[in-house]
Amino acid sequence: MKIKKVGVVGAGFMGKAHCVALSNMPKLFTDAPYVPVFKTVCDIVPEIAEDFKERFSFEKACTDYMDIVNDPEIDIVCVCTPNDSHAEISIAALKAGKHVICEKPIATKTEDAKAMAEAAEEAAKKGIVSMCGYQYRRVPAIDEAKKIIESGRLGEITNVRAQYLQSWSADPRSPLSWRFVKETAGAGTLGDIFTHALDIAQYLAGNVTDVVSMVKTYINERPVQEGGVDLLGTVKLGDDAKKQVVDVDDEVSVLCKFDSGAIGSVEATRMAWGRNNYLTVEVHGTKGSLTWNYERLNELEVCYGMEDNDGERGFRKIYTGPANPHGDVTWNIPGMNIGYGELKAIEAYEFAKAVEGGYQPTTSFTVGYQLDRVCEAVLESNEKKAWVQVK
Ligand code: SOE
């Protein structure tokens, strides 16, 4: 089988997710276009890079991402760093002729997102692929939902409601990591998880054209986490810890108009006690509805309202499996279930197919830039307390 050599920049949570996915991709997909081989891992903390190198059997560890960019043997670069370095690393890698998969949100500033999209479009002319880590649209149930919508069985789509609710920062003792600092994160919940819900809503109902929003920060300062990888609220710091001001949002509520004519809402918070990875979407059409929740990601509920008799109407539950999109990644029997690991492997497979075919995947940097522009409109609407058109 063909091989492709991989460099990974950032050895935290997302570095791990990408590497587990890359290892599993050719094992789960029998028609995988290549076997990824781990060449170099980079992290600014040398001990973290070394430890990662050992655990994932990389050939080398380094602390300067240019070692990866300048390595002619490396074909693919995974950018898994905090948001403020996405643009610099991705553009350098694209210019060096590497295929790039970059975590979301694409950048901290719209001008950087634009520069990334432009660099990706230029590289695409030479068959170089870019992709953003909006993996949730690749959940088999979401692709099945898209198929059902496109079949017309739900009629004309009138309303889409998407939510992403988490609780890991609801406790004021949850430490301030780079995710709470505008300079490194760009935005708070807005860039971090609102964009995932928005991506699914847009995947199913078309692009958002206009927004009116409310954006709120509840906890204005937090104890500071010193160094190391982001702990996502799994530790609590006491009163003795140094405090720092939070200058990003905790919660976002947005009403949207879609270019398909549908209307709807997208909301996100990291402050919803009891909700963990509660990413949901509900779609209503003139003939039926569907609803899905990541916390039960293998289940899609559909109501073919106009097809059912009065008195028998209701949601039917589809357990996704081999007969649904990306069925080869699921186990043999619906209900055996897949999880986050397999989902990231689907993303790695879609990326590999695009690399092999020389085309841009559906979550290219151009899409990342469009999502960024919706976020920009959300912030402007909150400032102006008015509807704003997406640029
Ligand atoms: C934290 O909110 C986080 O890790 C996000 O950064 C990811 O994108 C999301 O998939 C899970 O939660």
Side-chain angles (χ1 to χ4, degrees), residues 33 75 91 100 124 141-142 181 206 236 278 391:
D75 307 291
I91 292 172
V100 177
I142 292 294
V181 181
K236 312 286 174 227
Y278 196 82
K391 291 195 184 86

Side-chain angles (χ1 to χ4, degrees), residues 234-299:
T234 51
V235 292
K236 312 286 174 227
L237 298 181
D239 284 343
D240 47 336
K242 195 178 104 195
K243 295 258 180 19
Q244 192 178 319
V245 168
V246 172
D247 58 359
V248 294
D249 57 280
D250 286 324
E251 191 161 302
V252 189
S253 290
V254 184
L255 285 178
C256 308
K257 293 181 196 168
F258 293 83
D259 61 7
S260 57
I263 59 168
S265 59
V266 184
E267 288 186 277
T269 181
R270 300 185 296 206
M271 306 287 291
W273 283 117
R275 297 301 183 201
N276 297 299
N277 210 48
Y278 196 82
L279 169 60
T280 64
V281 67
E282 180 148 324
V283 177
H284 299 161
T286 50
K287 293 187 190 164
S289 300
L290 58 81
T291 181
W292 171 85
N293 168 11
Y294 180 88
E295 289 183 359
R296 305 195 68 87
L297 76 97
N298 297 271
E299 300 168 20

Side-chain angles (χ1 to χ4, degrees), residues 13-14 103-105 133 135-136 164 166 168 178-179 191-193 195-196 230 232 270 276-277 340:
F13 160 37
M14 288 323 296
E103 266 312 317
K104 39 52 56 183
Q135 70 277 350
Y136 294 116
Y164 201 157
Q166 296 183 329
W168 61 266
W178 62 267
R179 287 176 202 269
D192 193 24
I193 58 171
T195 49
H196 280 303
D230 181 11
L232 283 169
R270 300 185 296 206
N276 297 299
N277 210 48
Y340 189 73

Side-chain angles (χ1 to χ4, degrees), residues 21 50 87 182 192 211 215 230 245 251 265 302 342 360:
E50 268 307 318
K182 190 163 192 269
D192 193 24
V211 294
V215 177
D230 181 11
V245 168
E251 191 161 302
S265 59
V302 188
E342 286 100 340
Q360 296 307 304

